[in-house]
Amino acid sequence: AQSVAQPEDQVNVAEGNPLTVKCTYSVSGNPYLFWYVQYPNRGLQFLLKYITGDNLVKGSYGFEAEFNKSQTSFHLKKPSALVSDSALYFCAVRDSISSGSARQLTFGSGTQLTVLP
Amino acid sequence: EAGVTQFPSHSVIEKGQTVTLRCDPISGHDNLYWYRRVMGKEIKFLLHFVKESKQDESGMPNNRFLAERTGGTYSTLKVQPAELEDSGVYFCASSGDRGPYEQYFGPGTRLTVT
């Protein structure tokens, strides 16, 4: 079974400072990893994904994430936080060996990011 | 390109009533998924359609939930009869049919059962 852990329910950071939202995962095979963001009263919006290749992946709005296989982590980062980044962030995983019948994503519980002005 | 749409955005019903949620995926996406988030917990998978076929319904909580995707276009999720524990946000997502495509999510339907 696959699982995702987001150890922090809440992350607060000052505007202009770097931010990190943590995610660790567990899958049987190689992981496909995703980050989604949910702004207030909006749906989930895709930010970035790791499939294979370079461990550092870049996504929308200046976000990036680093895949670390040995630590089974996929932390979301941004060098300089904006107040508008305040939102709920979800990490998700899918096993790469799953067949077409098992493409479901497994999500973490979410991390509320608040960027303080 | 239009995104995934869901209707209604909010629904408040009484215990024992029936509610039908609708999802329109991105045009051309064969894969359609339903998820739900209950009481601020993690988002949980309900089921997966490929075109009109149910590919995986392992996440459906019980037989009070019925999902359909007639013609392989839009999908409906019916809850009958609704129970208090069914309250939550129901998300629909769609994706293309090749590779590990990301799933694109709709805005969700917030269901409140009183």
Side-chain angles (χ1 to χ4, degrees):
Chain A
Q2 54 199 37
S3 65
V4 175
Q6 292 182 242
E8 301 158 318
D9 292 335
Q10 175 83 38
V11 170
N12 296 328
V13 64
E15 186 174 31
N17 283 1
L19 70 86
T20 298
V21 183
K22 295 179 180 177
C23 170
T24 58
Y25 66 89
S26 174
V27 294
S28 300
N30 292 318
Y32 293 154
L33 293 154
F34 305 84
W35 275 102
Y36 287 84
V37 59
Q38 185 179 22
Y39 297 101
N41 302 314
R42 302 286 295 276
L44 292 169
Q45 187 172 334
F46 169 75
L47 271 183
L48 51 78
K49 67 181 177 185
Y50 171 83
I51 303 301
T52 188
D54 195 345
N55 289 343
L56 185 64
V57 294
K58 296 186 182 296
S60 307
Y61 311 120
F63 283 93
E64 58 190 27
E66 185 167 12
F67 170 63
N68 187 317
K69 188 172 184 178
S70 62
Q71 296 184 6
T72 62
S73 66
F74 190 57
H75 301 330
L76 181 70
K77 300 181 180 184
K78 187 173 182 180
S80 179
L82 300 173
V83 172
S84 57
D85 293 329
S86 298
L88 186 57
Y89 290 81
F90 290 95
C91 180
V93 69
R94 200 196 109 193
D95 194 329
S96 64
I97 65 172
S98 57
S99 66
S101 66
R103 293 186 179 180
Q104 59 177 280
L105 293 177
T106 297
F107 284 86
S109 55
T111 298
Q112 180 66 48
L113 172 68
T114 301
V115 181
L116 305 168
Chain B
E1 177 184 86
V4 177
T5 59
Q6 293 186 246
F7 181 83
S9 57
H10 293 86
S11 181
V12 181
I13 62 172
E14 293 182 352
K15 176 182 173 180
Q17 290 185 323
T18 297
V19 64
T20 300
L21 314 180
R22 173 171 170 145
C23 168
D24 287 76
I26 292 172
S27 178
H29 279 185
D30 288 339
N31 293 283
L32 187 149
Y33 310 81
W34 284 97
Y35 294 84
R36 75 173 177 178
R37 187 173 191 230
V38 175
M39 291 188 62
K41 297 185 179 178
E42 64 268 23
I43 300 166
K44 294 236 180 190
F45 168 79
L46 295 177
L47 86 159
H48 170 206
F49 283 99
V50 178
K51 296 185 181 179
E52 66 275 8
S53 300
K54 291 177 185 175
Q55 197 71 27
D56 180 0
E57 51 185 331
S58 61
M60 295 287 265
N62 52 61
N63 59 9
R64 295 186 293 103
F65 289 76
L66 175 64
E68 295 179 326
R69 192 182 182 194
T70 306
T73 54
Y74 72 91
S75 173
T76 58
L77 179 65
K78 180 188 287 188
V79 184
Q80 180 182 26
E83 298 290 344
L84 298 178
E85 64 264 25
D86 300 332
S87 296
V89 180
Y90 290 76
F91 291 103
C92 175
S94 70
S95 70
D97 62 353
R98 290 189 178 184
Y101 282 177
E102 57 270 22
Q103 296 176 18
Y104 292 92
F105 282 76
T109 294
R110 181 174 294 278
L111 174 64
T112 302
V113 183
T114 63

